[in-house]
Amino acid sequence: MNEYSVAIIGGGNMGGAIAHALSRDSSFKVSVYERTREKGEALKKECNISLLSSIPDASGSDVVIIALKPQNLPHLYDTLRSLKPGLYISICAGVDLGTLTKNLESEKVVRFMPNVGAKGGASVTAVAFGKEVEEDKRNLGMKIARSFGEAFPLEENLFSAFIGISGSAIAFIYEFMHQISMAGVREGIPYRTALDIVSGTMAGAAKLQKATGKGAIELETMVCSPRGTTIEGVKALTDGGFASIVQEAVEATVRKSEEMTQSAK
């Protein structure tokens, strides 16, 4: 089995989650550069990684994962460019492949768009490859992405749409969970119990959809009995403009993502 050295630049929420996932796979030797020493030391205690004292120490790694805030990239491009790994992977929101390729002076660039589910090993990640990334490195990129959840290869021009229905939409789902739980509180169920019930219901709904392969509408109509309770609730959602509000939320997210991408160029 091949062993790949992976250096993660940035040990924050997402970089740390990826470090945790990769450290559980014996085919990866993981090192992390984290500017905040306390955060780096805590990460080292939690999982099997080594700490880098500086970004240049990542030189010679098979893969460099850039897990930095987008606004920190411009003044670090010179240092990152000098690392010359076999593959760069960026999780920096709004920074497209063209910008990365130009500033890193490398065609071996992959872009990930994960969501916060990575912290629980349950991210949904979009993956886009630079044109010059060979098949073996594409496979390696997908292996890394799938180490912390599901991964979907997408054309980069669909990344903003992906953010709208996954990267940011996970927050919409949490808001939905909260509001249904609060409705349970209004009807007499304690909040924590209501939240556990709602969380289990949503997990069960997703598991059923994956297991059956049925469309969401088909599954919804299975629950709606004539003159029953569910159809009354669905009608209330429809009358309240639920579909329009959800689509407007996604559209707002997509527009913001496109603005961020333009400003990063």
Side-chain angles (χ1 to χ4, degrees), residues 151-209:
F152 296 85
L154 287 179
E155 294 298 322
E156 190 181 26
N157 61 7
L158 296 175
F159 264 41
S160 289
F162 175 84
I163 291 169
I165 66 169
S166 180
S168 293
I170 193 169
F172 309 160
I173 292 167
Y174 287 136
E175 176 67 14
F176 187 61
M177 290 172 67
H178 170 66
Q179 293 300 338
I180 296 181
S181 299
M182 289 299 287
V185 172
R186 188 178 183 189
E187 298 299 329
I189 302 175
Y191 181 80
R192 178 52 58 180
T193 302
L195 182 60
D196 287 344
I197 291 169
V198 172
S199 177
T201 302
M202 294 185 76
K207 187 174 181 179
L208 178 62
Q209 191 282 319

Side-chain angles (χ1 to χ4, degrees), residues 49 78 93 110 122 150 161 199 222:
I49 64 163
D78 285 345
V110 180
E150 294 186 80
S199 177
M222 285 170 55

Side-chain angles (χ1 to χ4, degrees), residues 13-14 16-18 20-21 24 114-124 146-150 170 174:
N13 287 336
M14 200 62 68
I18 294 172
H20 273 279
R24 292 191 290 267
N115 66 25
V116 72
K119 296 189 73 173
S123 176
V124 177
R146 287 173 175 146
S147 73
F148 50 92
E150 294 186 80
I170 193 169
Y174 287 136

Side-chain angles (χ1 to χ4, degrees), residues 41-226:
E41 291 293 343
L43 186 59
K44 184 178 180 181
K45 288 181 180 179
E46 293 168 3
C47 55
N48 182 30
I49 64 163
S50 59
L51 293 178
L52 302 173
S53 59
S54 67
I55 295 177
D57 289 342
S59 181
S61 299
D62 295 314
V63 181
V64 168
I65 298 177
I66 305 171
L68 301 168
K69 295 185 184 300
Q71 60 267 30
N72 293 336
L73 271 181
H75 70 276
L76 290 175
Y77 275 130
D78 285 345
T79 303
L80 293 169
R81 188 185 306 128
S82 70
L83 302 180
K84 301 186 183 303
L87 190 68
Y88 286 102
I89 295 175
S90 169
I91 65 169
C92 301
V95 185
D96 64 20
L97 286 171
T99 301
L100 292 164
T101 297
K102 176 183 176 181
N103 287 286
L104 295 172
E105 295 181 357
S106 173
E107 299 287 344
K108 314 297 185 185
V109 180
V110 180
R111 186 179 171 198
F112 284 3
M113 182 55 62
N115 66 25
V116 72
K119 296 189 73 173
S123 176
V124 177
T125 302
V127 182
F129 299 96
K131 294 180 180 179
E132 302 300 320
V133 179
E134 301 97 334
E135 187 66 24
D136 62 330
K137 288 186 170 56
R138 287 174 180 254
N139 292 337
L140 176 58
M142 292 302 296
K143 178 179 172 69
I144 290 172
R146 287 173 175 146
S147 73
F148 50 92
E150 294 186 80
F152 296 85
L154 287 179
E155 294 298 322
E156 190 181 26
N157 61 7
L158 296 175
F159 264 41
S160 289
F162 175 84
I163 291 169
I165 66 169
S166 180
S168 293
I170 193 169
F172 309 160
I173 292 167
Y174 287 136
E175 176 67 14
F176 187 61
M177 290 172 67
H178 170 66
Q179 293 300 338
I180 296 181
S181 299
M182 289 299 287
V185 172
R186 188 178 183 189
E187 298 299 329
I189 302 175
Y191 181 80
R192 178 52 58 180
T193 302
L195 182 60
D196 287 344
I197 291 169
V198 172
S199 177
T201 302
M202 294 185 76
K207 187 174 181 179
L208 178 62
Q209 191 282 319
K210 285 182 175 294
T212 63
K214 294 180 183 295
I217 288 295
E218 185 177 1
L219 291 168
E220 179 183 327
T221 55
M222 285 170 55
V223 188
C224 293
S225 303

Side-chain angles (χ1 to χ4, degrees), residues 236-250:
L237 288 174
T238 302
D239 291 348
F242 181 74
S244 294
I245 291 170
V246 170
Q247 292 195 27
E248 287 172 11
V250 172

